[in-house]
Amino acid sequence: MSSSIRYNMADDHWPDLHEVWPGGSRVMVDLPARPDADGRAGAAFLVERGGDPRISSVEFSGFDIDGLHFVDDGTGVDANPENSYINGKTGIYVASPCDSFRVEGMGMVYLEHGLVARGADALSVHDNFIAECGSCVELRDWGQASKITGNLIGAGYKGRSIYAQRFGGLLVSGNNAPPPAARRACDWTTARAAR
């Protein structure tokens, strides 16, 4: 069952729910909430290495990363903190330039940042469920020759489903981005993208 559905349901219905936490391959990001703009501090997986050569041939595949809860953002806009999309948690944060990095068959939910990659070359983000997150896929700094394809993807009302910064040769195809994420599904800054 979706955490979003459960947290927006009356508490007296909870005892009758089935499959509240389905599946067995699940990483729960039970870090203290540390909202920040970058997402690095609350990363479940931090991929980083200094020096040369850059990180190559890393793959994340076949499990779920769950941020568990959102927190009150202090704005008073929504009485239910589970709808804030704020918690300072990130699923995968790639802090160093990388080559041939793959994220496939993953689930990422209830994270402020699903996937953040800096300096990605030949990145493949394919066949994932990345939703109920503040922002889903963020390609920062620069990148090239990569693809975001065949994903079920949907950011909350404060974030972006896909963000690419100074990116050349990015294929974005066959993704399903339902509302409200569809309003801000893709956002490129000085990018040359194949759509």
Side-chain angles (χ1 to χ4, degrees):
M1 164 175 282
S2 162
S3 295
S4 180
I5 293 170
R6 182 175 58 256
Y7 293 139
N8 285 288
M9 184 179 288
D11 292 351
D12 60 343
H13 288 29
W14 284 33
D16 298 323
L17 296 178
H18 301 283
E19 298 179 356
V20 175
W21 301 113
S25 300
R26 183 168 144 251
V27 173
M28 295 181 289
V29 186
D30 197 12
L31 300 169
R34 294 182 280 200
D36 67 2
D38 186 53
R40 178 189 178 110
F45 294 93
L46 175 63
V47 181
E48 181 176 37
R49 181 178 71 195
D52 290 320
R54 64 185 168 200
I55 297 171
S56 181
S57 303
V58 175
E59 181 172 346
F60 285 86
S61 179
F63 64 95
D64 296 335
I65 304 173
D66 187 342
L68 301 174
H69 295 280
F70 290 118
V71 298
D72 188 347
D73 61 4
T75 63
V77 173
D78 198 320
N80 185 349
E82 296 296 349
N83 294 325
S84 74
Y85 295 96
I86 301 293
N87 64 9
K89 297 176 183 179
T90 301
I92 301 169
Y93 193 102
V94 186
S96 304
C98 61
D99 186 19
S100 186
F101 198 95
R102 301 166 63 96
V103 179
E104 298 187 353
M106 296 288 295
M108 296 185 207
V109 295
Y110 264 63
L111 300 158
E112 188 170 338
H113 307 275
L115 168 66
V116 177
R118 295 186 172 278
D121 185 1
L123 168 71
S124 175
V125 180
H126 177 72
D127 193 29
N128 301 288
F129 178 88
I130 307 173
E132 299 175 7
C133 291
S135 287
C136 297
V137 178
E138 300 170 69
L139 307 179
R140 299 184 188 165
D141 294 338
W142 58 269
Q144 64 182 3
S146 297
K147 70 176 187 171
I148 302 170
T149 57
N151 299 286
L152 300 173
I153 193 165
Y157 65 95
K158 293 180 181 178
R160 300 173 176 106
S161 291
I162 300 169
Y163 172 75
Q165 184 181 39
R166 291 189 297 278
F167 219 94
L170 176 62
L171 172 65
V172 177
S173 175
N175 298 294
N176 184 354
R183 289 191 297 262
R184 294 185 67 194
C186 299
D187 188 359
W188 285 272
T189 59
T190 61
R192 295 180 313 274
R195 296 187 198 183

